[in-house]
């Protein structure tokens, strides 16, 4: 079995790994897809996901985002974040920040997107939400790859892997994970390794 961890960084705390990434982004246009999950709870979330006001507001944001109304979605996710903070719901505080990051990315404000994503990951680390922490790091890697910051992208994708493995989430997002990793490697001219990871992505029936 081949290991994707070519740079041997997987033992690093993912909170520390994210915190040390310096973001200095130029203006450019990219398209990428993110993965998220508002339906997974955490025993330490501070509230019930299924009955929280923030979740209902966030679902309205989901609808606006699917309609391409990103500024409206951003307003709704910001409202949901405030509601989660009012309830001291750490799960909601983390997930809404991740969705706010998504909207900023779609609006081309990449520095803000990564700032909110990093905040989300740090809260997820605090409550032990490795599944959503790994997914958010993977999303950050895709964004960093898209704006030409492959070194940081590799940092994020490698920090994501053990979280996804331990939580069992890799089985759901493995295709996207290995497809993202393959893209990063291709963009750093590591073509043989990139092809290997595209093959692994296909194992999950993922077409990048």
């Amino acid at each position: 079995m081949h290991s994707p961890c070519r740079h041997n960084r997987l033992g690093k705390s993912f909170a520390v790994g994210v915190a040390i990434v310096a973001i200095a982004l130029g203006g450019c246009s990219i398209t990428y897809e993110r993965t998220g999950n508002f339906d997974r709870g955490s025993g330490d979330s501070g509230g019930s996901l299924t009955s929280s006001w923030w979740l209902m507001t966030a679902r309205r944001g989901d609808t606006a985002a699917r309609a391409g109304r990103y500024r409206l979605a951003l307003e709704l996710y910001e409202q949901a974040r405030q509601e989660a903070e009012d309830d001291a719901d750490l799960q909601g505080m983390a997930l809404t920040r991740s969705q706010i990051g998504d909207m900023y990315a779609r609006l081309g404000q990449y520095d803000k997107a990564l700032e909110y994503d990093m905040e989300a990951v740090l809260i997820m680390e605090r409550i032990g939400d490795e599944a959503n922490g790994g997914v958010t790091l993977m999303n950050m890697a895709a964004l960093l790859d898209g704006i030409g910051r492959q070194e940081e992208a590799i940092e994020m994708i490698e920090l994501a892997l053990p979280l996804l493995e331990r939580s069992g989430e890799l089985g759901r997002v493995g295709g996207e994970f290995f497809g993202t990793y393959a893209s990063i490697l291709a963009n750093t001219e590591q073509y043989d390794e990139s092809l290997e990871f595209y093959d692994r992505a296909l194992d999950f029936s993922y077409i990048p």
Side-chain angles (χ1 to χ4, degrees):
M1 179 179 293
H2 297 284
S3 170
C5 312
R6 301 177 63 258
H7 300 270
N8 194 28
R9 296 175 181 151
L10 293 183
K12 186 184 298 179
S13 159
F14 78 90
V16 173
V18 173
I20 64 173
V21 177
I23 305 301
L25 306 175
C28 59
S29 177
I30 64 169
T31 300
Y32 79 109
E33 295 299 324
R34 294 167 63 99
T35 298
N37 189 353
F38 274 131
D39 296 317
R40 181 183 298 99
S42 168
D44 214 5
S45 67
S48 170
L49 273 171
T50 56
S51 62
S52 297
W53 282 108
W54 72 261
L55 181 59
M56 298 301 102
T57 305
R59 292 202 186 284
R60 294 176 62 205
D62 292 344
T63 299
R66 284 194 293 269
R69 300 175 65 183
Y70 300 135
R71 294 193 182 279
L72 174 59
L74 178 59
E75 292 177 5
L76 289 166
Y77 289 137
E78 286 281 12
Q79 179 182 336
R81 178 191 60 78
Q82 186 60 59
E83 291 169 350
E85 292 185 356
D86 290 344
D87 289 342
D89 187 325
L90 293 175
Q91 184 80 21
M93 290 162 61
L95 292 175
T96 52
R97 278 170 167 78
S98 179
Q99 295 305 96
I100 290 168
D102 185 8
M103 293 305 100
Y104 275 123
R106 294 177 186 277
L107 292 168
Q109 299 185 48
Y110 306 123
D111 54 344
K112 281 186 171 291
L114 289 160
E115 177 185 346
Y116 274 94
D117 279 344
M118 285 191 286
E119 290 180 6
V121 169
L122 291 171
I123 298 172
M124 290 165 184
E125 191 269 346
R126 177 180 173 186
I127 63 178
D129 185 357
E130 293 189 326
N132 280 313
V135 166
T136 303
L137 286 166
M138 179 180 68
N139 289 335
M140 292 175 71
L143 174 53
L144 287 162
D145 181 42
I147 59 177
R149 303 294 293 257
Q150 276 72 40
E151 183 176 351
E152 290 99 331
I154 289 173
E155 182 85 16
M156 296 298 100
I157 203 75
E158 292 187 346
L159 290 167
L161 181 58
L163 306 182
L164 296 173
E165 288 180 327
R166 287 196 298 265
S167 65
E169 188 73 354
L170 190 63
R172 186 177 76 88
V173 301
E176 183 174 356
F177 175 87
F178 289 112
T180 297
Y181 208 142
S183 173
I184 297 167
L185 292 171
N187 287 332
T188 55
E189 300 184 356
Q190 299 178 63
Y191 301 119
D192 290 340
E193 294 90 340
S194 177
L195 289 171
E196 176 185 343
F197 287 117
Y198 275 127
D199 286 341
R200 296 189 69 173
L202 288 173
D203 291 338
F204 292 86
S205 300
Y206 170 78
I207 301 177

